[in-house]
Amino acid sequence: MVGQAQQTESLGDLRAGIVTTPEEQAMGREFIAAARQQLKFIEDPLLTEYLESLGRGLAASLEGDTESLRFFLIDNPMINAFAGPGSRLAVFTGLIRATRSEAELASVMAHELGHVAQRHLPRMMERARQRKLPTTAGILAAILLGGQAGAAAMAATSGAAMADQLSYNREFEREADVLGLNILAAADYPTAAMIRFLKRLDQESRLQSAGAPEYLRTHPLTENRIALVEGRVRLYPDLEERSSLDFHHARSRIRALYGEGGVESISSDFFHEQKTDDEVVSRAARYGLILTLNRFGSYDEALKQAEVLAEEFPDEFVYRLVIAETYLQSGRGAEAVSVLRGLAEQRPDATVISYYLADALMKSRQLDEARKVVRAAIRSAPREAPLYRLLARVEGEKNNAAQSFQALAEYHYINDEIAQALTQLNNALNASGGSAYLEASINARIKELEALRGKG
C-alpha cells in the first residue's frame, strides 16, 4: 500500500489516506458551484468517463475515504490542474493537450492526489483562518482558477494576502511530489514521466514571453524540487512507458471538439499525425479528424472515414460510436439508433453507450424506450450527472413536468449546485398536480438537501 510509503527525515510521515470532513465537503460543494460560474465544465460522457477511470485507478493504492474523490474536466486552454476542498480534483483541457502520454497526465493527477492525501489545502486554510483572512469557497475558487476572474477577486478583497497564504509552500510541494511518485508507481506508470513533464513545462515557460503556465505559478518549480524528484525517480523500477490508446483518443477528442480555430487549422495537425510511425497516435489522429469533420458539418466525409476505421478495428467500440454520433448530428436518428442498439447488446453495462442510445431514441421520438434505457443506466451509475439531464429532457418531452424538474434537481445536486437543485425541487412540487405520493417524495428530498446546505 502507498499508505506505507517511504519516510524521510526531512519529509516526515507521508500518510496516504483520504480524509474529508463534512465541513470540507460543504466547502467543496460551494467551491465547485462558484467555479461553475466562471468556467465551462465538460460533460462529454466519453471524456468524463476517461478522466474518472484514470483518477480512480491512481487512487486505488490510497487508504481512507477514496469514494469521496471527485474528478472534473474544465474546458480551458490554460495548462492547469488543482485539488480543491472536499477532495475535488479538476483538470483543464489545456493540461491534457500539453501532456504527450497518459503517464505524464497521470503524474500531474498523482501529484494532486498527494496534496489531498496530505491534507495540504485544509492545513493552509486553517492557517489563513488563524490570521483572520477570508476563506470562503468563492474567493478560494477565484484564486485557484486564476485568470482574469481570479485577479478581479483578489483586487476586490484581501485575496492577494490569501493567495499568498494558499500558495503551496516548498515543503508541501516536496511531499506531494514524493507521495505522487509512490501513487504513480503503484499504478504501474513510469515515474520518469513526472520529471520529464515538469522539465519540459519549465523549459517551455522560459522560452515564452508570456511567463510560466498557471500550473507552475500555483505549484512553484525550483531547482531543489527538480533535484528531489530526479533523485527519487531512481529509486523506482525503470518501467517501459505504454502508449495508451484511451489517452490519445481522449486527447484527440478534446482537440477536435474544443480546440480553437476553423476546420482547416484543427484538421492539419491530425493529417500530420496520421503519418507517424506510432500506430496508436495515428489511429487517434484519424478519430480526431472524423470528430473535426463532424463538428464543422462535413458529415458524409466523416461517415466515410468512420466506417473505414470501424472496419479495420472492429473491437474498438468508440469507432462505431462515432458512426452513431455522425448519424445523429446529421439528422439520421433511426440509423444512429440501429448502430447504438447493436453496441448496447454487445456491451450492456457500458453507461456511455446507454447515454447515447437514450439520446438517439429521444431524438427519434421513441420516448418510452428512451426513458427505460436512461433509467436503467441511472440505476447502474447513479452518480453520472449527464444521465439525469437527459432524463429531464425525456420526461419533459413526455409532458411529465414534475418528473423532469426532479431529474434536473438531481443533475444540479451531483454537480454541487445545491441552491439550483432546491429551486428545481420546488418547481417539481408546484407541478406535482396534487399527487400525495409525488409530493411526499419531493418534500423528503428537499429536507435532505436543505440539511446539506445547512452544514455549509
Side-chain angles (χ1 to χ4, degrees):
M1 297 289 291
V2 175
Q4 285 117 22
Q6 298 179 59
Q7 300 179 15
T8 69
E9 183 178 349
S10 61
L11 294 172
D13 181 13
L14 289 180
R15 293 167 295 174
I18 303 297
V19 178
T20 309
T21 67
E23 179 187 11
E24 290 163 6
Q25 282 288 359
M27 177 165 270
R29 289 189 291 270
E30 186 185 348
F31 173 84
I32 293 297
R36 288 183 184 279
Q37 298 300 310
Q38 301 180 34
L39 295 173
K40 179 183 177 182
F41 282 60
I42 289 177
E43 294 186 350
D44 181 287
L46 280 170
L47 293 175
T48 55
E49 182 180 75
Y50 170 72
L51 190 67
E52 178 85 11
S53 176
L54 179 57
R56 294 290 171 192
L58 289 166
S61 60
L62 296 173
E63 298 172 350
D65 183 20
T66 56
E67 287 300 310
S68 68
L69 289 165
R70 301 279 303 281
F71 301 93
F72 299 93
L73 181 60
I74 295 174
D75 179 15
N76 192 292
M78 286 197 303
I79 301 174
N80 203 10
F82 57 81
S87 301
R88 283 150 171 80
L89 277 74
V91 173
F92 286 38
T93 53
L95 175 68
I96 296 178
R97 295 187 64 166
T99 54
R100 296 177 181 173
S101 68
E102 185 171 84
E104 289 188 357
L105 175 58
S107 74
V108 176
M109 295 180 69
H111 178 96
E112 297 305 319
L113 284 169
H115 282 306
V116 175
Q118 288 296 101
R119 296 185 53 75
H120 289 157
L121 186 58
R123 287 156 63 184
M124 291 188 294
M125 289 168 62
E126 179 58 31
R127 184 180 62 192
R129 287 193 194 97
Q130 291 173 357
R131 300 189 181 189
K132 295 182 169 40
L133 293 172
T135 55
T136 64
I139 296 175
L140 179 61
I143 292 170
L144 286 182
L145 297 175
Q148 293 181 349
M154 286 188 282
T157 67
S158 57
M162 185 184 171
D164 180 65
Q165 294 298 318
L166 289 173
S167 295
Y168 287 125
N169 62 33
R170 294 179 180 181
E171 178 186 358
F172 285 175
E173 282 301 295
R174 289 197 300 269
E175 288 180 357
D177 283 336
V178 173
L179 187 51
L181 287 170
N182 287 342
I183 293 169
L184 202 58
D188 292 328
Y189 288 103
T191 55
M194 179 181 286
I195 190 64
R196 182 176 67 242
F197 180 67
L198 288 175
K199 279 186 169 182
R200 189 171 74 248
L201 211 58
D202 183 50
Q203 180 66 21
E204 289 176 0
S205 69
R206 293 174 188 273
L207 297 175
Q208 296 174 1
S209 59
E214 195 69 30
Y215 189 72
L216 292 189
R217 295 176 190 172
T218 54
H219 300 72
L221 187 61
T222 63
E223 290 184 10
N224 287 340
R225 184 181 166 200
I226 289 176
L228 172 72
V229 175
E230 278 192 307
R232 285 277 175 167
V233 163
R234 299 189 186 100
L235 301 176
Y236 297 92
D238 185 16
L239 299 177
E240 181 179 355
E241 187 160 347
R242 304 182 302 271
S243 188
S244 167
L245 184 59
D246 288 342
F247 165 79
H248 286 289
H249 278 157
R251 188 169 179 269
S252 289
R253 191 172 181 89
I254 285 170
R255 292 160 61 202
L257 300 184
Y258 302 97
E260 298 177 353
V263 61
E264 291 185 3
S265 62
I266 296 175
S267 298
S268 62
D269 288 340
F270 289 128
F271 277 122
H272 176 73
E273 288 173 15
Q274 287 183 40
K275 301 175 183 178
T276 181
D277 292 334
D278 189 325
E279 191 265 345
V280 168
V281 172
S282 177
R283 280 174 60 184
R286 294 169 66 186
Y287 173 67
L289 180 58
I290 293 164
L291 292 168
T292 304
L293 292 169
N294 268 345
R295 176 181 171 184
F296 292 97
S298 299
Y299 301 120
D300 290 341
E301 181 61 24
L303 184 60
K304 177 182 175 181
Q305 295 195 30
E307 287 174 340
V308 171
L309 195 57
E311 185 176 348
E312 287 182 33
F313 305 98
D315 295 332
E316 191 57 56
F317 87 93
V318 296
Y319 301 149
R320 293 171 62 192
L321 190 60
V322 79
I323 291 175
E325 287 185 87
T326 307
Y327 279 139
L328 202 56
Q329 290 177 39
S330 60
R332 299 163 67 177
E335 289 162 288
V337 167
S338 178
V339 172
L340 290 163
R341 277 182 174 148
L343 279 174
E345 289 176 2
Q346 292 180 5
R347 301 189 57 168
D349 298 328
T351 302
V352 67
I353 294 174
S354 297
Y355 173 89
Y356 281 105
L357 175 57
D359 185 41
L361 287 165
M362 181 194 66
K363 290 174 179 174
S364 301
R365 307 304 300 169
Q366 300 178 59
L367 300 179
D368 288 335
E369 189 177 354
R371 180 169 59 179
K372 179 181 177 182
V373 170
V374 73
R375 284 192 177 276
I378 286 173
R379 287 194 295 272
S380 299
R383 296 289 302 171
E384 293 296 319
L387 292 174
Y388 291 94
R389 185 181 58 180
L390 183 56
L391 177 61
R393 291 166 56 200
V394 173
E395 296 288 10
E397 290 290 329
K398 289 182 65 64
N399 296 316
N400 296 329
Q403 289 85 347
S404 179
F405 287 130
Q406 278 185 299
L408 271 179
E410 295 308 307
Y411 166 78
H412 287 298
Y413 162 70
I414 294 171
N415 281 335
D416 286 328
E417 298 171 313
I418 302 297
Q420 291 91 325
L422 285 167
T423 296
Q424 297 302 331
L425 285 171
N426 282 302
N427 290 338
L429 202 58
N430 293 332
S432 62
S435 167
Y437 173 80
L438 194 54
E439 288 181 3
S441 172
I442 296 168
N443 278 319
R445 189 59 171 149
I446 287 174
K447 288 181 180 178
E448 290 175 355
L449 296 194
E450 284 181 339
L452 275 179
R453 186 169 64 171
K455 292 177 181 177

